[in-house]
Amino acid sequence: MDKLKEKFQGKATPLAAEIKDIIKTNGDLVLGEFTVAQVYQGMKGMKGMVTETSKLDPEEGIRFRGYSIPELRKQLPKAPGGTEPLPEGIFHLMLVGELPTNDDVTFITNEWQKRSVVPKHVFDVIDALPVDAHPMTQYCSAILALQTESVFAKAYAKGISKKDYWDYVYEDAMNLIARLPRIAAYIYRRKYKNNIHIEPDHKLDWAANLAHMMGFEDLDVRRLFRLYMTIHADHEGGNVSAHATHLVGSALSDPYLSFCSGMTGLAGPLHGLANQEVLNWIMELKENLGGGLPTKEQIADYIKKTLAEGKVVPGYGHAVLRKTDPRFTAQQDFYKNYIKHDDICEIVQMIYEVAPPILESTGKIKNPWPNVDAHSGALLAHYGIHEYDFYTVLFGVSRALGVMASLIWDRALGHPIERPDSLTTENIKAKIASVKAKA
Ligand code: CMX
């Protein structure tokens, strides 16, 4: 058993026993009530699942195992000479609940290097798609094609004990995470760089290797990729990509199948695709004005026009957050520290000043503040990654860290198949009538 797996088992075994006891002794304790509006409107605020890896506070933003993003930028191990955390570190933190040492992250980098070979048929499946297929379609197809490698699915077919599920899920999760940079870079080079591919560099860490295989050797791009992969990794359990992965995993679909469903959810414009939408929206604004920096008044008019056309302002709003997303702030800080001047990043800052009061004045948007997607594309574009429709793939590579760590926990804690109850509108009307009759 490898040392990370052993450490995980040391944490999971007592927690699984504790949870069994909690359910036995306090299983009837009421945790919350829900309303008709919540049932109709996406179950917002309903507490309906357990996620160990991170917790989202509406006012403060995400904490990974209790650590905020600014704390993690300081405390997680860095590459030699690097200034941003290695994403290997946040995976360790989410999986075992402890800040890693330098040795711990080196171990994970080496494991992912060893496990990173992608079978040929996966590239064949990508190549079978039209080159103009959206990169997320290519990415999801590749993940499904990779399912042939699932050790969980093979072991399950032979017959394994429930108590061993997590062990096979761990193997699949580690293999899947290890292979994603190669797949993402392959899609990028196929679609935008004349199908000319770059071999992995086995001396590089996971995020730097992705930048390298995409064709970016600049140290600044490595630094950005390490930050990007760290901050996009997880956002507790209820967001579409995390919930879909967890839900499909609860049917004991293997990690490849489960992750693919999470990624098809991430590909939606109200979730991860918003990063491409933000850049398209900003470029449309620039084009309408004939290039250059817009004034604040022009930005305000453009936002009002977007709302009047019944469209969403991409990168703004959130189902849980009620303040500026700390993932936005971390990227803003990156811009101010390392880039200092860039037209698109400046427009992002101007939108941040102009948009919130306009969105608030609609009276219906619950969170007028920017989310992670409001800034990420501008940083990527600064370093020459102008293919906006590829951005969600990068989000998807990072998101594997959180949802795979959670999936290992799900199986180690023996979470059963998810099956909430549903109601018809007739049921709801009957309930309203009976409450009114009693009043
Ligand atoms: N622009 C315009 N309208 C918005 C809006 C925005 N940025 N954010 C919310 N609204 C609208 C909703 O569409 C809804 O309108 P209707 O009542 O007419 O249906 C109303 O305001 C209330 O919505 P809400 O309760 O504030 O927000 P939701 O929880 O329903 O939705 C989200 C959250 C993120 C989907 C929404 O804010 C949005 O569409 N934002 C733009 C897309 C985006 O940036 N998504 C990325 C989120 C982060 C991520 O997952 O990556």
Side-chain angles (χ1 to χ4, degrees), residues 150-162 165 168 251-252:
S150 173
V151 292
F152 175 84
K154 288 191 184 91
Y156 192 87
K158 277 193 196 147
I160 44 171
S161 161
K162 282 180 180 180
Y165 289 168
Y168 296 96
L252 295 187

Side-chain angles (χ1 to χ4, degrees), residues 44 270-271 307 312-313 315-319 364-366 371 373:
K44 311 276 170 52
L270 297 189
H271 190 18
L307 294 174
V312 297
V313 174
Y316 279 74
H318 201 272
K364 66 169 186 178
I365 298 173
K366 296 192 190 69
N371 58 58
D373 302 310

Side-chain angles (χ1 to χ4, degrees), residues 367-421:
N367 177 35
W369 301 103
N371 58 58
V372 66
D373 302 310
H375 211 315
S376 55
L379 297 179
L380 295 167
H382 172 78
Y383 291 114
I385 305 170
H386 295 291
E387 300 82 5
Y388 311 145
D389 57 358
F390 186 73
Y391 293 169
T392 313
V393 173
L394 294 175
F395 192 160
V397 174
S398 169
R399 188 44 61 95
L401 302 177
V403 300
M404 285 296 109
S406 274
L407 202 66
I408 302 168
W409 273 104
D410 289 347
R411 298 290 76 78
L413 299 179
H415 291 323
I417 191 161
E418 203 173 273
R419 192 9 178 131
D421 205 353

Side-chain angles (χ1 to χ4, degrees), residues 140-371:
C140 294
S141 305
I143 294 160
L144 264 192
L146 203 52
Q147 189 273 343
T148 53
E149 309 308 293
S150 173
V151 292
F152 175 84
K154 288 191 184 91
Y156 192 87
K158 277 193 196 147
I160 44 171
S161 161
K162 282 180 180 180
K163 68 178 176 30
D164 296 328
Y165 289 168
W166 73 268
D167 193 330
Y168 296 96
V169 169
Y170 171 94
E171 291 301 324
D172 275 351
M174 291 289 276
N175 291 337
L176 172 62
I177 293 169
R179 290 157 168 167
L180 291 175
R182 180 89 167 101
I183 289 172
Y186 187 88
I187 294 166
Y188 183 76
R189 302 286 310 177
R190 170 179 190 252
K191 190 167 167 72
Y192 310 110
K193 304 289 170 187
N194 299 322
N195 212 13
I196 299 167
H197 298 283
I198 300 171
E199 288 298 309
D201 178 345
H202 293 294
K203 293 187 293 300
L204 291 175
D205 57 88
W206 187 72
N209 206 9
L210 169 58
H212 157 75
M213 289 185 282
M214 284 174 63
F216 298 90
E217 302 300 351
D218 197 311
L219 294 183
D220 289 341
V221 180
R222 286 184 193 170
R223 174 159 52 204
L224 174 63
F225 270 43
R226 289 171 188 140
L227 176 67
Y228 186 107
M229 292 294 146
T230 300
I231 64 176
H232 286 79
D234 208 31
H235 220 219
E236 72 167 34
N239 67 79
V240 171
S241 53
H243 189 192
T245 306
H246 166 80
L247 168 68
V248 174
S250 83
L252 295 187
S253 304
D254 64 61
Y256 296 88
L257 299 174
S258 307
F259 183 60
C260 186
S261 70
M263 292 301 97
T264 53
L266 193 77
L270 297 189
H271 190 18
L273 203 81
N275 55 13
Q276 97 169 28
E277 298 297 287
V278 167
L279 259 279
N280 283 329
W281 184 74
I282 291 177
M283 295 321 282
E284 186 193 80
L285 163 69
K286 277 190 91 191
E287 268 163 37
N288 287 351
L289 299 172
L293 276 183
T295 62
K296 286 188 188 166
E297 290 69 34
Q298 286 169 325
I299 292 177
D301 288 346
Y302 185 56
I303 292 169
K304 287 176 194 159
K305 179 174 166 280
T306 303
L307 294 174
E309 286 169 350
K311 299 177 187 164
V312 297
V313 174
Y316 279 74
H318 201 272
V320 179
L321 276 168
R322 294 296 174 255
K323 287 275 162 64
T324 298
D325 190 336
R327 301 172 299 175
F328 176 89
T329 314
Q331 296 179 95
Q332 204 181 28
D333 182 62
F334 187 98
Y335 168 58
K336 287 179 183 156
N337 275 333
Y338 304 118
I339 299 178
K340 297 188 173 52
H341 193 85
D342 174 279
D343 271 7
I344 303 195
C345 292
E346 281 306 308
I347 295 175
V348 168
Q349 315 309 311
M350 290 166 82
I351 297 169
Y352 184 33
E353 284 175 50
V354 173
I358 301 175
L359 298 180
E360 200 151 32
S361 71
T362 63
K364 66 169 186 178
I365 298 173
K366 296 192 190 69
N367 177 35
W369 301 103
N371 58 58

